[in-house]
Amino acid sequence: MADPGLGSPVAAGAAVPDSFGNVTAEYLALRRECGLVQGRWEVVWVEGPDAVSFLQGLVSADMEELAEWGVCRSFLLTPRGMVRFSLWVLKEGDKLGLVCSRGEGPDLSETLDYYRIRIKAKVSVDPRPVSALVGPTVPWTETLEQGRWEPNAENFRAPAPLAGVPRVFFTGEAPEGIRPVGELAWRAVRVESGEPDVALDLDERTIPQETGELADAAISFDKGCYLGQELAARIDSRGRVNRTLRGLEVRTNLLPPEGADVWKDERKVGKITSVAESLELMAPVGLSLIRRGTDPGDEVRIRWQGGEALARVRVLPMVPG
């Protein structure tokens, strides 16, 4: 009997279940084969003769240097230089798509419209949910090999690798026979890979370089000014940050609650945010913005009301592709 929902993207706004019945099989699909992560993203389109120059002055990646049909990572920062949105950008002439997490589209669109003064470009939230195929056997090999996004009738496909694991964003129907993946398995792979969810894993004080390798992919230090650029440039020249996004591998078979404090000796050094069960590491894992002075390999304690767990700080990704 086919798995329920096999190959069918969830409707816009619909909640993704914790599991479609077999968390282990869903996790292994993402790590060993191919899994369908349904409707966890959406896309905002910016289109018009001023679209490229408009976004060039707002986002951290270089829109002018991005090739036709190119795909890249980027941030949209606050005026003070803190991370507001983490994006994938798709370019087609004077049309650019900004892929963001589900639910962020209206806020992203409103933010862009705020700065869209005397700009010949329109901003629109695409009502279609954006899903992804993730895993080493993703069938759309041509999309992956070319590294370019492509239209597919009224829909699109776009490569967006996850710490070395093939991933393709898409709208529309998924290929038949791909196992749908629930929240538990997807979160485990996301945490292992070190991909933060802005709403869960970052805070209003997070500066780009605190996200580690994500900042290397998302920031151009050769382009001109953009929103929040002054702080990003100053941190780059100073060469250090007060916190860094790290992985936490829990050393006891106990799943800490999200938001629990992380301590090194008698000093609080962070909070554990996204928490999951890693089958690769055979341990609970989580993400945390860890303060400087606590390094990969260090032992820490995660403490919450009524409980405590020993953990080890890990470089991200904890499980590379």
Side-chain angles (χ1 to χ4, degrees):
M1 179 179 294
D3 290 320
L6 192 63
S8 301
V10 295
V16 177
D18 283 346
S19 170
F20 287 90
N22 189 331
V23 178
T24 299
E26 293 164 26
Y27 176 93
L28 292 175
L30 296 171
R31 282 292 178 196
R32 306 283 192 272
E33 299 173 355
C34 179
L36 170 63
V37 183
Q38 302 178 81
R40 292 209 57 91
W41 301 271
E42 57 188 322
V43 61
V44 173
W45 297 102
V46 182
E47 186 173 4
D50 293 342
V52 173
S53 59
F54 172 53
L55 287 180
Q56 181 76 348
L58 285 180
V59 301
S60 61
D62 196 328
M63 298 294 95
E64 294 178 352
E65 290 298 316
L66 183 60
E68 184 77 352
W69 302 106
V71 182
C72 73
R73 302 215 71 161
S74 188
F75 293 124
L76 178 59
L77 307 177
T78 69
R80 296 182 56 210
M82 313 303 175
V83 175
R84 179 80 179 276
F85 298 99
S86 179
L87 308 166
W88 286 88
V89 183
L90 321 177
K91 183 179 181 181
E92 177 200 356
D94 59 4
K95 178 181 180 180
L96 295 107
L98 306 178
V99 180
C100 58
S101 295
R102 183 184 61 210
E104 291 183 339
D107 192 17
L108 174 57
S109 176
E110 183 179 346
T111 301
L112 294 173
D113 274 329
Y114 177 82
Y115 292 102
R116 192 174 56 87
I117 302 172
R118 294 188 294 275
I119 297 294
K120 295 178 181 178
K122 64 178 181 179
V123 177
S124 60
V125 181
D126 196 320
R128 298 169 299 177
V130 177
S131 299
L133 299 185
V134 182
T137 65
V138 168
W140 292 327
T141 55
E142 185 173 339
T143 300
L144 293 169
E145 290 169 357
Q146 293 181 351
R148 294 153 48 97
W149 76 282
E150 56 187 22
N152 179 28
E154 296 299 318
N155 296 296
F156 71 84
R157 301 170 184 169
L162 178 71
V165 177
R167 173 173 61 178
V168 177
F169 290 138
F170 71 96
T171 56
E173 293 296 321
E176 293 185 1
I178 305 296
R179 180 180 291 276
V181 171
E183 172 62 23
L184 295 177
W186 165 243
R187 180 174 293 203
V189 172
R190 180 179 68 78
V191 170
E192 293 168 345
S193 302
E195 179 160 289
D197 182 314
V198 172
L200 293 175
D201 302 309
L202 309 182
D203 58 35
E204 68 280 358
R205 299 179 293 109
T206 304
I207 60 179
Q209 287 90 337
E210 290 179 337
T211 63
E213 290 188 1
L214 176 54
D216 296 336
I219 302 176
S220 169
F221 292 101
D222 298 323
K223 63 179 283 187
C225 294
Y226 57 89
L227 188 66
Q229 180 258 354
E230 182 179 353
L231 177 61
R234 187 164 70 243
I235 295 298
D236 183 60
S237 63
R238 192 172 71 182
R240 68 179 189 181
V241 292
N242 290 326
R243 305 181 299 175
T244 302
L245 187 69
R246 299 293 191 194
L248 293 175
E249 179 184 350
V250 181
R251 307 302 291 274
T252 54
N253 190 23
L254 188 63
L255 203 66
E258 293 176 350
D261 293 329
V262 179
W263 293 77
K264 181 183 178 184
D265 300 325
E266 295 306 313
R267 177 176 177 241
K268 187 165 70 172
V269 296
K271 291 180 178 291
I272 190 169
T273 50
S274 294
V275 176
E277 290 274 7
S278 169
L279 295 186
E280 290 285 328
L281 299 176
M282 298 298 291
V285 292
L287 296 176
S288 181
L289 285 164
I290 296 290
R291 293 195 65 82
R292 184 159 48 92
T294 303
D295 301 313
D298 285 355
E299 299 287 334
V300 295
R301 291 189 178 274
I302 304 169
R303 295 174 179 168
W304 62 96
Q305 185 173 1
E308 179 176 297
L310 186 67
R312 182 162 61 99
V313 179
R314 295 284 303 266
V315 171
L316 295 171
M318 291 183 275
V319 180

